[in-house]
Amino acid sequence: MTTEAASPRVPGTPCWVSLMVHGLSTTQDFYGALFGWEFRPGPQQLGPYVRALLAGREVAGIGVLPPERRLAIAWTPYLASDDADAVTERIRACGGTVGVGPLDADRAGRMALASDPQGAVFGVWQGHTMKGTAVVGEPGTLVWNELVTREAAEAGTFYEHVFGFETEAGPGPDRVTLCLKGRPMASIRGVGDTLPRERGPHWTTYFAVSDTDAAARRVVELGGRVTGESRESAHGRLAVVTDPEGAEFRVIQR
């Protein structure tokens, strides 16, 4: 299903996804060839940054990781807010950490980067001239976000208190769905001690594709990796892949 998403967002809605890398040009080449993205400059408050467009509509952002920041190369979801400063205060009050901001991103909006009490990194976006992704659900666009952590219910309580989510158990053991006004927005999967030690708790981004197997083959052709066999899921055929710098994401045929 395709959803136009250019209007103001209900606070808590996943509204943007961003990647910080070492090689901006080579990363643009990879995602441009994989998803058909084109790029134009975005706000430069944190260094060189571009917005990815599909058919002229903004769908994601890619920036350069500052050399002094020893952060994992990973896609980061941004959750909508109508007051980024108030949200960051709630993040701290609920045991999270604010690493960057809040700060203005030109006239586009106000942002912050934070981590939950278990260490999973996410962003906060208070949109002004740019509300977030212009479309979701089409091939080459964001379709879902999932938090992989040790224990789902505990993590769900944090996001419930900070963003006002309703939490629903399931589907499956140690899983929580984050909802707004009864509408599913993201999921949390608890994996206990099987959580990869080198990554820790982390958010995972799902991008829609028209053909999962073809997309997985294309990832390899472009210098990325497929880290697991394509498989059927309740929501469509999916594959876990990484880009050439190691940023993991999932492609799903819906």
Side-chain angles (χ1 to χ4, degrees):
M1 180 178 69
T2 299
T3 303
E4 296 294 336
S7 59
R9 313 300 160 83
V10 175
T13 304
C15 64
W16 190 245
V17 64
S18 191
L19 175 66
M20 303 297 284
V21 298
H22 298 294
L24 182 57
S25 178
T26 55
T27 301
Q28 288 177 250
D29 290 343
F30 173 84
Y31 288 100
L34 180 62
F35 292 139
W37 290 352
E38 298 177 337
F39 301 90
R40 71 179 179 202
Q44 309 289 305
Q45 273 71 17
L46 300 179
Y49 190 83
V50 296
R51 291 179 182 152
L53 293 85
L54 187 67
R57 297 172 294 182
E58 294 166 325
V59 295
I62 303 175
V64 175
L65 188 66
E68 68 276 9
R69 289 190 176 272
R70 302 183 66 84
L71 299 175
I73 307 296
W75 282 100
T76 300
Y78 280 71
L79 306 180
S81 169
D82 53 14
D83 187 338
D85 295 78
V87 167
T88 55
E89 289 304 313
R90 289 200 296 273
I91 289 169
R92 294 187 180 99
C94 291
T97 301
V98 178
V100 176
L103 55 84
D104 291 326
D106 294 340
R107 292 175 296 172
R110 190 161 174 80
M111 59 82 66
L113 281 171
S115 58
D116 65 25
Q118 288 72 45
V121 176
F122 63 94
V124 177
W125 181 253
Q126 179 184 347
H128 297 319
T129 62
M130 202 281 285
K131 303 301 182 184
T133 51
V135 62
V136 296
E138 284 188 6
T141 70
L142 174 69
V143 70
W144 192 246
N145 293 285
E146 181 181 60
L147 172 62
V148 182
T149 190
R150 290 184 176 84
E151 200 275 318
E154 181 181 352
T157 299
F158 169 81
Y159 290 94
E160 181 180 6
H161 289 166
V162 172
F163 291 101
F165 287 112
E166 306 113 33
T167 56
E168 296 182 359
D174 204 17
R175 290 176 183 256
V176 168
T177 300
L178 300 177
C179 302
L180 291 172
K181 299 181 178 180
R183 183 181 176 187
M185 290 289 164
S187 56
I188 304 175
R189 176 162 54 98
V191 297
D193 293 335
T194 66
L195 187 72
R197 184 171 297 180
E198 67 277 7
R199 291 203 67 189
H202 60 277
W203 281 93
T204 297
T205 299
Y206 289 68
F207 290 107
V209 293
S210 57
D211 185 326
T212 294
D213 297 291
R217 289 192 297 270
R218 188 66 172 137
V219 164
V220 175
E221 292 170 358
L222 295 168
R225 296 174 55 239
V226 177
T227 60
E229 293 292 330
S230 300
R231 63 178 177 86
E232 300 296 335
S233 75
H235 302 288
R237 188 166 177 79
L238 66 83
V240 183
V241 299
T242 67
D243 67 20
E245 288 204 21
E248 183 181 283
F249 58 98
R250 284 163 168 76
V251 291
I252 185 166
Q253 178 181 331
R254 306 180 71 217

